[in-house]
Amino acid sequence: MKHIFTLLIVVFSATLSAQTEQNHIPVSKSIVGIWRLIDERTLANGESIRIVTGDYKVINADGTYYTFVTWPNQTTIAQYGSYEIESDSTLVEHIIENVLHPRLSGKDSPIKYNLIDENTMIVAWSYNLDGNIWINEKWIRLPLAVPTSVSGVNFVQPGTQKH
């Protein structure tokens, strides 16, 4: 978990320093931002649950992006490249390198996207790049917030602790 926070701080700092005020990731209402992949499943009893993954995507205002994955003992960059928005629902990722799917390295990948709201994005990408097989994903924007707990540990906000 320490690795993910360190990586997020580095990413956040580098991204913010390269942008103008209106493009800061924390206030973006566009696809620019730091996104986390989630999965929603319906259990046998009909209950719907949300599964939060360790997959993140950073989409920068300068037309670059990268994804990273949190494994049990480390966090790694899985893919990076640049992107071009073709319409309000389509972009093309120019993949420089993808270590999870190496055959996608050096390729252009069409992406269909829909911002459901400013914090939720639905994405579909073609696994085989010819549009026959599409992978659907749901991503949520990382908030600008102080967490109240992580893994059962409650945080005390500065100035609120009782002596």
Side-chain angles (χ1 to χ4, degrees), residues 37-160:
L37 181 64
I38 64 167
D39 192 10
E40 294 176 334
R41 302 281 169 103
T42 303
L43 302 176
N45 66 4
E47 179 186 353
S48 180
I49 61 168
R50 186 168 95 168
I51 301 167
V52 181
T53 72
D55 296 353
Y56 295 86
K57 185 170 205 120
V58 177
I59 302 174
N60 295 306
D62 67 358
T64 61
Y65 78 93
Y66 47 97
T67 58
F68 54 100
V69 178
T70 303
W71 305 97
N73 295 316
Q74 71 180 61
T75 300
T76 61
I77 297 173
Q79 173 180 297
Y80 75 100
S82 61
Y83 69 92
E84 291 179 76
I85 296 177
E86 293 190 337
S87 73
D88 63 353
S89 63
T90 307
L91 63 87
V92 174
E93 288 181 347
H94 306 290
I95 302 168
I96 294 173
E97 188 166 2
N98 184 319
V99 296
L100 297 177
H101 305 287
R103 65 178 196 74
L104 297 177
S105 296
K107 306 283 188 193
D108 289 346
S109 176
I111 307 290
K112 299 175 188 176
Y113 71 93
N114 179 22
L115 282 170
I116 294 174
D117 58 44
E118 64 190 43
N119 296 315
T120 310
M121 179 170 54
I122 302 297
V123 170
W125 58 281
S126 177
Y127 179 75
N128 60 354
L129 300 178
D130 65 6
N132 290 335
I133 301 171
W134 288 89
I135 308 293
N136 295 306
E137 300 173 335
K138 187 173 189 176
W139 295 80
I140 55 173
R141 186 185 306 272
L142 287 188
L144 177 64
V146 175
T148 55
S149 68
V150 172
S151 300
V153 175
N154 291 324
F155 291 114
V156 176
Q157 300 301 321
T160 62

